[in-house]
Amino acid sequence: MLLTFGAIGIGSVVGWAVSNYRISGRGLLLSLIALTAVAAEIKAISHGASIVPVSLALVASFGLRLVVLNLLRARASARP
Amino acid sequence: MQSASLIQLLGAGGLGFVIGWYVYYINRYRKSDVQISDLLTLIGAIGGGATTALFPAKTDLFGAYGIGLFAGFFSYCLFLILLVSISKNFTADWFLDGRRKKPEDPFIIPDGTAQTVRAMGGNDHGVVNG
């Protein structure tokens, strides 16, 4: 259990980092390819943890960062 | 599977916390856009050979390390949000483009102060702040 939570933690950190790649101006497709490449690396370092929750954490963290960013932008542009 | 003592788990978690905090710090102060090689370097740093040597595969120690990494990384982000929310000189827009109130006398920003050039959104150079 602890191992799974730990691997999810690593997946979340890496997902957040990959979102920087997207925010730095790369296209969504290129970012998703990067995410897939990173997921393969994560599998290698998950040290026996199930890859499913790790991948979900990776994608969730990646998406959360972009959602937060877009919410902030929408709020800023709606301001007079 | 070899079980780990509480002090070992705390130690692994603490190490992960420090590394997670520092990963956010390095990312925030980086000077150029993120490349795919940077991502792979990051993965190697937080989960590569050194980590495997310290925390054997399929042990709770690796789990504690990962939880600490998560806590340290996102604690940095939460501290940024907390500091921005209690400061009168910053708003949430700082996360988008780095804007802040211009300091008025007697306050100054000394020359050589590291620029926090990465937050959430891109600026004119296509990079992100914080």
Side-chain angles (χ1 to χ4, degrees), chain B residues 103 107-115:
Chain B
F107 296 99
I108 60 164
I109 299 176
D111 290 339
T113 301
Q115 292 295 306

Side-chain angles (χ1 to χ4, degrees), chain A:
Chain A
M1 194 66 177
L2 201 61
L3 178 64
T4 303
F5 278 124
I8 287 172
I10 290 180
S12 304
V13 170
V14 176
W16 191 270
V18 176
S19 66
N20 278 323
Y21 190 68
R22 163 77 174 134
I23 294 167
S24 291
R26 269 47 169 242
L28 187 60
L29 181 63
L30 202 57
S31 302
L32 290 176
I33 291 170
L35 203 63
T36 309
V38 165
E41 284 291 318
I42 288 277
K43 182 173 167 48
I45 68 166
S46 59
H47 291 212
S50 170
I51 190 64
V52 175
V54 178
S55 299
L56 286 176
L58 190 73
V59 173
S61 183
F62 174 82
L64 178 69
R65 174 89 184 270
L66 299 181
V67 167
V68 169
L69 174 61
N70 283 323
L71 282 177
L72 282 173
R73 280 178 176 161
R75 207 179 72 163
S77 61
R79 214 174 294 135

